[in-house]
Amino acid sequence: MPVVIGFEGSANKIGIGIIRDGEVLSNPRRTYITPPGQGFMPSDTARHHRAVILTVLKEALEQAGLKPADIDCVAYTKGPGMGAPLVTVALVARTVAQLWGTPLLGVNHCIGHIEMGRLITRADNPTVLYVSGGNTQVIAYSQRRYRIFGETIDIAVGNCLDRFARVIKISNDPSPGYNIEQMAKKGSQFVELPYTVKGMDVSFSGILSYIEDMSHKMLSSGQCTEEDLCFSLQETVFSMLVEITERAMAHCGSQEVLIVGGVGCNLRLQEMMGVMCKERGAKLFATDERFCIDNGAMIAQAGWEMFRSGQITELEDSWITQRYRTDAVEVTWRD
């Protein structure tokens, strides 16, 4: 039963988790939060990660009741993500692996989400909807690869929601998406917005430009409220995601859907996807914010699977890449 520690820091979350044989032993994290109306810059985010990463590492070991000698492998996020934060975390992971004399493993961030979702929900072979601030993909496993059946052709759904939150100055604490979800529950008027599905792909830049342009006019004239706009944006973008997920299920003959990624803990998205699954006689699998939102345990779990199948990353190959496709990884741990 190998013990794997995972370092995640591809965006504004820094997390370190420890996994032993499918059991999450610890999973502390910190979030870099900016003032309302602002996003997070790579350099500032990396500075935040550098300031807290050793504290989080100490917490992870203490919560798990382990010492460095108990760790069999060090896994870290190789990409995709923001360059400066990725470099910060990779540097610490490389240093720790050398100090502790343990093998190193570079993990694809997206596959970390998928493997964590499979572990927590026990989904067998689901069609995966991966939705976060940086990624939007519909994925299914086939012949040792996680194949991308559809994706965003511009910005991710989480990025669309986050940028709208900046327009109306919603708080970033605990996250802009969470606060949009709470405001949307109070919305009653549906405002029609552009709906852009192109085959198996989706586009969110047009809907963002449209709502950015018209929101101030509609709000100042009293045509709708901020809550109405949050409600309308959620309903529209989530409908697009349900449509392409259902199409992928039909193509694959799948009867399972797994939602992963930070946006995946949105209860309205889960509700809409659940209705579609029920109509098809399929099952929906989802997790809560402990495992949907970026965390170290998901990198540890993917690293655990990779390590058991004989993979390691040599020190000279332990670089990072901001663009690391989900389907670029050979999945050696599944049949």
Side-chain angles (χ1 to χ4, degrees):
M1 293 193 296
V3 179
V4 178
I5 189 169
F7 290 76
E8 157 57 25
S10 60
N12 69 326
K13 314 282 191 308
I14 176 75
I16 299 175
I18 300 176
I19 292 278
R20 179 176 59 205
D21 195 31
E23 180 187 1
V24 179
L25 301 181
S26 62
N27 198 22
R29 70 178 165 219
R30 300 284 191 282
T31 302
Y32 174 53
I33 296 173
T34 55
Q38 296 182 25
F40 47 92
M41 299 296 289
S43 57
D44 297 333
T45 307
R47 193 174 298 114
H48 167 267
H49 290 1
R50 287 196 298 271
V52 301
I53 190 168
L54 295 182
T55 301
V56 178
L57 174 58
K58 185 180 178 182
E59 280 182 23
L61 289 169
E62 288 178 350
Q63 288 176 19
L66 299 176
K67 299 181 179 66
D70 300 319
I71 304 297
D72 297 303
C73 179
V74 174
Y76 73 96
T77 301
K78 180 177 178 178
M82 301 170 72
L86 282 172
V87 168
T88 297
V89 174
L91 178 63
V92 174
R94 281 197 296 260
T95 303
V96 163
Q98 291 178 86
L99 287 172
W100 296 353
T102 56
L104 187 65
L105 261 175
V107 173
N108 180 287
H109 176 85
C110 315
I111 287 179
H113 275 295
I114 295 171
E115 294 305 333
M116 196 69 203
R118 291 180 63 230
L119 171 69
I120 298 301
T121 66
R122 302 300 177 186
D124 180 36
N125 186 27
T127 298
V128 179
L129 175 65
Y130 170 37
V131 278
S132 69
N135 299 273
T136 301
Q137 297 175 340
V138 177
I139 302 160
Y141 174 77
S142 176
Q143 297 181 342
R144 300 197 121 191
R145 300 271 170 177
Y146 281 114
R147 312 286 175 173
I148 299 172
F149 281 77
E151 59 189 321
T152 175
I153 58 176
D154 40 51
I155 63 173
V157 63
N159 186 238
C160 177
L161 295 169
D162 292 352
R163 286 169 64 178
F164 174 66
R166 291 180 221 165
V167 171
I168 57 175
K169 301 290 193 295
I170 295 177
S171 171
N172 292 322
D173 187 12
S175 72
Y178 174 82
N179 293 324
I180 285 179
E181 180 183 2
Q182 304 317 307
M183 290 179 68
K185 293 175 182 176
K186 302 172 186 173
S188 57
Q189 178 187 345
F190 180 78
V191 178
E192 191 167 340
L193 300 170
Y195 183 101
T196 313
V197 174
K198 301 183 178 182
M200 283 299 299
D201 296 328
V202 288
S203 170
F204 297 111
S205 59
I207 189 172
L208 177 64
S209 298
Y210 181 85
I211 200 168
E212 282 178 338
D213 183 56
M214 52 75 73
S215 59
H216 294 303
K217 299 173 189 174
M218 293 191 73
L219 290 171
S220 59
S221 64
Q223 291 177 260
C224 66
T225 65
E226 290 183 347
E227 288 78 6
D228 292 333
L229 290 177
C230 291
F231 165 70
S232 303
L233 181 60
Q234 272 200 172
E235 293 299 301
T236 304
V237 298
F238 291 168
S239 295
M240 292 160 59
L241 295 172
V242 170
E243 178 182 335
I244 63 170
T245 303
E246 183 173 19
R247 195 172 292 127
M249 291 175 69
H251 181 84
C252 298
S254 172
Q255 289 297 101
E256 293 181 335
V257 173
L258 171 63
I259 306 177
V260 299
V263 181
C265 55
N266 186 296
L267 296 180
R268 179 56 182 154
L269 174 58
Q270 292 182 18
E271 181 184 14
M272 293 171 71
M273 194 69 74
V275 171
M276 180 273 286
C277 288
K278 186 176 180 181
E279 290 174 350
R280 295 184 63 86
K283 288 187 68 176
L284 172 66
F285 297 91
T287 63
D288 57 30
E289 70 279 354
R290 292 173 301 164
F291 304 113
C292 261
I293 297 170
D294 292 350
N295 62 90
M298 72 184 207
I299 302 303
Q301 174 60 18
W304 184 82
E305 294 281 14
M306 294 167 70
F307 185 62
R308 284 200 316 144
S309 68
Q311 291 193 47
I312 59 166
T313 301
E314 298 297 337
L315 190 62
E316 58 268 25
D317 298 323
S318 60
W319 34 269
I320 61 99
T321 174
Q322 290 182 260
R323 301 186 183 279
Y324 190 13
R325 295 277 294 179
T326 312
D327 51 7
V329 179
E330 184 181 5
V331 182
T332 55
W333 57 92
R334 290 188 61 177
D335 294 332

